[in-house]
């Protein structure tokens, strides 16, 4: 198959969907890789690196989208990319459609087969393609929070770890999954006073076993969230309901009672955010005030460290991308599949982990969670036409 890697269109999104080593792997497997010129620059991968790996470097995004059977991206298509969508195209990327009706509708209108990294799921329930970026975002969140706690940035003026004779910053992490656990690890390393709130006693037990008395674990209730948030310098929202819109757990009224200069970092912004006043921001304009607090809600946080993020993402996605690209080659001679979308539809019947990532196919919305978020109807995936 021919796999396309365009330049990301999102503000300051410097990640790229495939490293040069990943391109080399696909080329050696007999596939063609088209890379838009400059796609890897932000991740310190040059066009010459891709060419040396056997990829073809093309100048414009239209050629990448038009000539490719599979387009592999980092982030969801933006409106300027919607015209490139079509019914014989397979799109493999982070989509987070439960918080993006416009993109959902564009994929449906085009009939595109869209597979979301964030809901590819193994039999044990783990999310192998979401995990690496959750790790990055989790580890970034305390660093971001520490910066905005500085008084010149508008914060409370509290040092995360304090010094002898002073108190450290109180950090409250809502959600103990991959992002929350990594946030806790980093905040503990910065010597902050850390609390983790989660609904699952088993999750909190695991965090307690790992981090011990350095972290206070709290079962999630409305009362416990209110109590912890009101005394916090930094709140990190790390709640995840796979594929669905994130519940809003911190209200505007609660924020109005927080201490002036407190900072709220919403890692869950891609899925709608877990604070009532969350709205997506960019690396160019990352924060905004709510009452006397500071909200940070950059929808592509890992894009701030693209060298690390691109490598980690490719490590996770390459086996699945290879599987998708090989779908056409594994069709029997008498198969009726004539396009990549048809071949991938057959593959998904045999690969439940990938099938869990299927969002749209042939104009049909497959995800029940996305349908519920937008009040739309959904149906089971169809086989090839």
């Amino acid at each position: 198959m021919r796999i396309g890697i365009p330049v990301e269109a999102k503000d300051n999104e410097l990640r790229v969907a495939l490293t040069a080593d990943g391109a080399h792997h696909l080329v050696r497997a007999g596939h063609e890789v088209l890379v838009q010129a400059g796609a890897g620059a932000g991740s310190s991968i040059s066009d010459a690196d891709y060419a040396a790996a056997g990829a073809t470097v093309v100048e414009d995004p239209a050629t990448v989208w038009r000539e490719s059977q599979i387009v592999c991206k980092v982030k969801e298509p933006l409106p300027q990319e919607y015209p490139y969508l079509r019914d014989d195209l397979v799109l493999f990327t982070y989509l987070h459609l439960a918080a993006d009706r416009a993109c959902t509708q564009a994929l449906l209108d085009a009939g595109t087969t869209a597979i979301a990294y964030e809901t590819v799921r193994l039999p044990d329930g783990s999310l192998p393609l979401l995990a690496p970026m959750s790790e990055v975002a989790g580890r970034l969140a305390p660093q971001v929070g520490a910066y905005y706690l500085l008084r010149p940035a508008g914060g409370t003026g509290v040092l995360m770890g304090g010094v002898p004779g002073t108190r450290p910053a109180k950090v409250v992490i809502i959600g103990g999954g991959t992002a929350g656990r990594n946030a806790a690890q980093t905040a503990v390393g910065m010597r902050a006073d850390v609390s983790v709130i989660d609904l699952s006693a088993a999750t909190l037990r695991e965090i307690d076993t790992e981090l011990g008395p350095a972290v206070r674990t709290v079962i999630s209730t409305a009362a416990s969230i209110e109590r912890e948030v009101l005394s916090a310098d930094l709140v990190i929202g790390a709640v995840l309901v796979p594929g669905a819109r994130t519940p809003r757990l911190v209200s505007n009224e609660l924020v109005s009672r927080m201490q002036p200069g407190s900072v709220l970092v919403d890692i869950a912004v891609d899925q709608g955010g877990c604070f009532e006043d969350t709205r997506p921001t960019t690396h160019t304009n990352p924060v905004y005030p709510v009452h006397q607090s500071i909200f940070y809600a950059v929808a592509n946080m890992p894009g701030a460290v693209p060298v690390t993020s691109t490598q980690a993402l490719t490590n996770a996605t390459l086996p699945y991308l290879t599987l998708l690209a090989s779908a056409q080659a594994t069709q029997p001679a008498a198969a009726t599949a004539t396009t990549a979308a048809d071949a991938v539809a057959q593959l998904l019947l045999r690969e439940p982990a990938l099938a869990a990532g299927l969002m749209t196919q042939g104009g049909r919305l497959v995800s029940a969670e996305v349908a519920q978020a937008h009040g739309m109807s959904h149906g089971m995936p169809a086989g090839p036409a």
Side-chain angles (χ1 to χ4, degrees):
M1 283 201 192
R2 188 176 297 115
I3 302 149
I5 311 296
V7 172
E8 293 296 318
K10 205 173 191 74
D11 177 81
N12 272 305
E13 180 50 79
L14 302 176
R15 290 173 289 179
V16 63
L18 189 70
T19 62
D21 285 353
H24 181 260
H25 175 84
L26 291 167
V27 171
R28 280 182 61 88
H31 306 294
E32 296 179 61
V33 178
L34 301 183
V35 179
Q36 186 182 346
S43 298
S44 299
I45 307 170
S46 69
D47 293 344
D49 293 332
Y50 283 115
T56 300
V57 178
V58 298
E59 289 299 322
D60 63 294
T63 300
V64 173
W65 286 86
R66 183 180 64 250
E67 299 297 327
S68 299
Q69 297 161 289
I70 300 174
V71 166
C72 186
K73 293 180 85 273
V74 177
K75 294 297 290 178
E76 72 283 350
L78 296 186
Q80 62 266 36
E81 296 173 300
Y82 294 169
Y84 299 141
L85 301 173
R86 61 182 197 274
D87 62 3
D88 61 345
L89 178 71
V90 176
L91 178 64
F92 192 40
T93 188
Y94 287 117
L95 286 168
H96 299 288
L97 294 181
D100 193 343
R101 183 177 180 120
C103 186
T104 302
Q105 194 62 56
L107 291 166
L108 292 172
D109 291 345
T112 300
T113 298
I115 301 172
Y117 295 158
E118 69 271 11
T119 55
V120 171
R121 188 179 310 196
L122 296 177
D124 65 0
S126 61
L127 305 168
L129 307 190
L130 182 62
M133 295 304 95
S134 294
E135 290 167 348
V136 171
R139 296 186 187 195
L140 270 177
Q143 297 183 43
V144 167
Y147 173 78
Y148 284 103
L149 283 175
L150 300 178
R151 181 68 79 185
T156 59
V158 175
L159 181 66
M160 283 284 276
V163 295
T166 73
R167 74 171 182 88
K170 178 172 180 180
V171 178
V172 174
I173 301 165
I174 305 176
T178 301
R181 188 167 307 188
N182 277 269
Q185 291 167 350
T186 300
V188 166
M190 299 172 81
R191 304 181 69 171
D193 174 9
V194 182
S195 297
V196 178
I197 303 174
D198 198 275
L199 279 170
S200 168
T203 295
L204 295 178
R205 192 171 293 113
E206 291 172 3
I207 292 171
D208 180 75
T209 299
E210 178 185 353
L211 296 174
V215 171
R216 182 184 309 106
T217 56
V218 181
I219 284 289
S220 180
T221 65
S224 65
I225 290 173
E226 178 176 2
R227 181 172 57 251
E228 293 292 327
V229 165
L230 285 178
S231 60
D233 295 289
L234 169 61
V235 180
I236 296 173
V239 176
L240 172 69
V241 181
R245 190 177 182 90
T246 306
R248 300 293 180 91
L249 300 178
V250 177
S251 68
N252 176 280
E253 188 277 331
L254 181 55
V255 173
S256 74
R257 292 187 280 133
M258 292 180 69
Q259 59 180 315
S262 54
V263 177
L264 296 94
V265 176
D266 201 339
I267 297 175
V269 59
D270 277 329
Q271 291 291 123
C274 54
F275 309 144
E276 182 180 355
D277 289 286
T278 291
R279 56 177 172 80
T281 61
T282 67
H283 289 294
T284 301
N285 295 293
V287 297
Y288 56 94
V290 176
H291 298 294
Q292 297 184 76
S293 297
I294 300 167
F295 272 48
Y296 177 99
V298 174
N300 57 329
M301 280 183 69
V305 286
V307 173
T308 298
S309 297
T310 290
Q311 184 64 63
L313 184 60
T314 296
N315 290 345
T317 59
L318 185 58
Y320 293 91
L321 179 57
T322 302
L323 191 61
L324 287 170
S326 300
Q328 187 80 52
T330 58
Q331 292 298 299
T336 59
T338 57
T339 69
D342 292 333
V344 167
Q346 288 278 18
L347 172 69
L348 296 179
L349 297 176
R350 308 189 300 271
E351 297 291 340
L354 267 174
L358 184 63
M359 294 287 107
T360 65
Q361 180 186 46
R364 179 179 302 175
L365 179 59
V366 176
S367 169
E369 293 82 4
V370 174
Q372 181 178 18
H374 300 312
M376 303 170 78
S377 61
H378 77 284
M380 295 299 292

